[in-house]
Amino acid sequence: MASEFTMRVWRGDISGGEFKDYRVEAQEGMVVLDVIHTIQATQAPDLAVRWNCKAGKCGSCSAEINGKPRLMCMTRMNLFEPGETITISPIQTFPLLRDLVTDVSFNYEKAKSIPALKLKAKEADGTRRMYQDDVDRVQEFHKCIECFLCQDVCHVIRDHEDNKPEFAGPRSFVRLASLEMHPLDEEDRREFLKSDAGLGYCNITKCCTEVCPEGIHITDNAIIPLKERVVDAYYDPVVWLMNKLTGK
């Protein structure tokens, strides 16, 4: 059974724009991305939107739907009342390119700066061994699909453009946690976390965790353990005293 909706879609580019209304029929089972494609096919062939898999695994179709960051391909139309006006706008933290497409290259530049995995030497028999518990601990972080919704809601970079050079953001902290907690890694990234990644800027509001479509516990399982490592290294008075005594 079809239901009619008004889709209020942002149209424009960096120089300016406005919301434009489109009346669209949504068939049973459709998601927001289906409706956007319907608008492209029938009313606005020049509407720019980024998408790829339509299965919630590529992270490409991030947008703000009625003000909430979501994946368009995973937001079903039956969440809304028939006749409702649904507002679709691009994610706000990154520069607008056109319509619903933003420039998210900031995140890839940050990724380039993260110190890579540095494997420990092999054991005498030529193998490397890990406990299953240690392996399980980092599996959660590998679910990240780089939709950058966590980056979008992070007020440290969303509301303060001048913080971007010094703050890597929650997606980068998930990547850093996956490396720091890797059972075979021996790279020390604590100074990087403190100085280059700006971990101290995060005040653990958990807004990043709330919007993660993969259910990654970004704050509790990634950011807080990383903060604990930095605090232990630089702010623990016992460690400070030992470093003074040993000349480290």
Side-chain angles (χ1 to χ4, degrees), residues 7-10 19 32 36 49 60-73 75 80 85-94 99-102 147-154 158-159 211:
M7 306 299 289
R8 183 162 292 164
V9 183
W10 173 259
F19 285 98
V32 169
I36 292 296
V49 59
S60 300
C61 65
S62 298
E64 295 190 8
I65 303 172
N66 287 348
K68 182 175 181 179
R70 292 175 175 267
L71 294 177
M72 288 189 285
C73 72
T75 305
F80 310 103
T85 297
I86 304 168
T87 302
I88 313 294
S89 56
I91 54 177
Q92 301 296 303
T93 299
F94 306 109
D99 300 338
L100 301 179
V101 179
T102 55
C147 62
F148 305 126
L149 294 181
C150 62
Q151 300 282 82
D152 181 48
V153 299
C154 179
R158 179 170 179 141
D159 300 334
V211 299

Side-chain angles (χ1 to χ4, degrees), residues 14 53 125:
I14 194 65
C53 74
D125 61 0

